[in-house]
Amino acid sequence: RHFEVIGGDEVASALSARGRRILVTFDDGYRDNYLVAFPVLKRHGVPATFFLATGYLDRPMVPWWDEIHM
């Protein structure tokens, strides 16, 4: 209630305007972002940006935290 929540497409225009804004992002690409967070965000009309990790740039591997979870 103290900030205006904006979507990724509003960042450029928000930089030149006065006010308090936030951009909600998820950067790990895990399924729970979609299964848990997305329905809550949708229900409340909150825009968000989801970054999906497609892998490491320098070598194919599974992160250690995913490896021990399997």
Side-chain angles (χ1 to χ4, degrees):
R1 70 178 175 224
H2 298 287
F3 297 88
E4 176 187 356
V5 182
I6 62 170
D9 58 340
E10 300 172 278
V11 171
S13 61
L15 292 174
S16 62
R18 294 183 56 94
R20 299 178 73 176
R21 294 170 188 84
I22 60 170
L23 175 68
V24 178
T25 65
F26 293 82
D27 66 351
D28 60 16
Y30 287 113
R31 183 176 26 194
D32 64 344
N33 295 169
Y34 179 72
L35 296 176
V36 179
F38 178 67
V40 174
L41 294 166
K42 187 175 180 178
R43 183 169 55 247
H44 293 283
V46 175
T49 300
F50 292 83
F51 294 97
L52 302 179
T54 59
Y56 287 97
L57 295 176
D58 57 347
R59 61 191 183 285
M61 62 181 286
V62 175
W64 66 267
W65 54 88
D66 283 339
E67 190 72 40
I68 62 173
H69 186 276
M70 294 179 176

